[in-house]
Amino acid sequence: MTPEILFQQTSDFYQCLIHPDLSDVDFQRELDAFRGLRVELDRGLALTLIQENNWRTRLLGLAVGALLREWLLAPVVLELIRQPTGISIVPAGAWLMVQHQQAPSLSPEIDGSESDSGPFGDEVGWVLTRLQAQRVGNLTVDPDEVGPNSGQSLQSQLALYERLCSEN
């Protein structure tokens, strides 16, 4: 499948990935339809989408990577945080957290000093702090806490990626 075909088949699904709500029936329906595409997706597609310099494409690429459990993409996902494009920062952090839970031996080193965060510095720092806390085992996720730039809930993002990589 090509990125263009995926966007045609999923329509505006990428918008649901900004503020996912797993309790919403319509979101669940769209998520199930996306999960139904699993056999048509591959690592190359996920990589292509993630490496684009467009938050819409990156969000869809993260979803494909989680759905396929392509944890070897972790260094590329970390680059999304090092060279951010806004709305993809918190989702990339959540993806890396779920990846670390599923395959810790494949987790890249987290070093916040390498990031070129520019106007997204607050959010990049916020995500990196939580990633490091997870790695040392003292992460707590407040359900009401949101990223400083786009108001994205880390808890909702984690739930999304956990759901995408689940067997069901």
Side-chain angles (χ1 to χ4, degrees):
M1 177 175 300
T2 66
E4 296 78 20
I5 292 172
L6 181 61
F7 270 96
Q8 287 173 358
Q9 289 187 0
T10 59
S11 187
D12 293 335
F13 176 65
Y14 69 88
Q15 290 181 0
C16 299
L17 302 174
I18 300 169
H19 298 284
D21 181 359
L22 293 177
S23 66
D24 181 84
V25 174
D26 292 330
F27 177 74
Q28 279 294 339
R29 191 174 13 262
E30 288 203 44
L31 188 61
D32 290 343
F34 177 74
R35 289 171 54 95
L37 297 173
R38 180 185 213 139
V39 296
E40 299 177 50
L41 309 175
D42 60 36
R43 180 184 192 280
L45 176 62
L47 181 61
T48 298
L49 293 167
I50 290 169
Q51 289 180 322
E52 286 290 321
N53 194 21
N54 175 307
W55 64 265
R56 293 165 187 84
T57 308
R58 287 179 169 186
L59 289 181
L60 204 51
L62 290 169
V64 170
L67 183 62
L68 298 174
R69 286 181 246 127
E70 283 290 347
W71 304 132
L72 290 173
L73 293 170
V76 179
V77 174
L78 183 57
E79 283 301 309
L80 297 186
I81 296 170
R82 290 182 177 146
Q83 298 177 6
T85 58
I87 294 176
S88 64
I89 300 167
V90 175
W95 191 99
L96 287 167
M97 289 177 185
V98 171
Q99 178 274 326
H100 185 73
Q101 293 169 354
Q102 299 278 321
S105 66
L106 299 176
S107 295
E109 290 294 319
I110 305 295
D111 180 8
S113 66
E114 300 173 27
S115 297
D116 177 20
S117 53
F120 306 109
D122 291 347
E123 194 148 281
V124 168
W126 184 82
V127 165
L128 290 174
T129 298
R130 279 143 189 82
L131 278 167
Q132 290 169 333
Q134 183 209 28
R135 303 286 168 92
V136 298
N138 63 2
L139 175 69
T140 57
V141 179
D142 179 349
D144 296 323
E145 185 179 27
V146 295
N149 287 358
S150 304
Q152 292 169 297
S153 164
L154 181 58
Q155 185 175 30
S156 295
Q157 292 291 329
L158 287 168
L160 169 65
Y161 292 110
E162 288 167 353
R163 174 76 175 115
L164 281 169
C165 71
S166 70
E167 298 280 339
N168 302 338

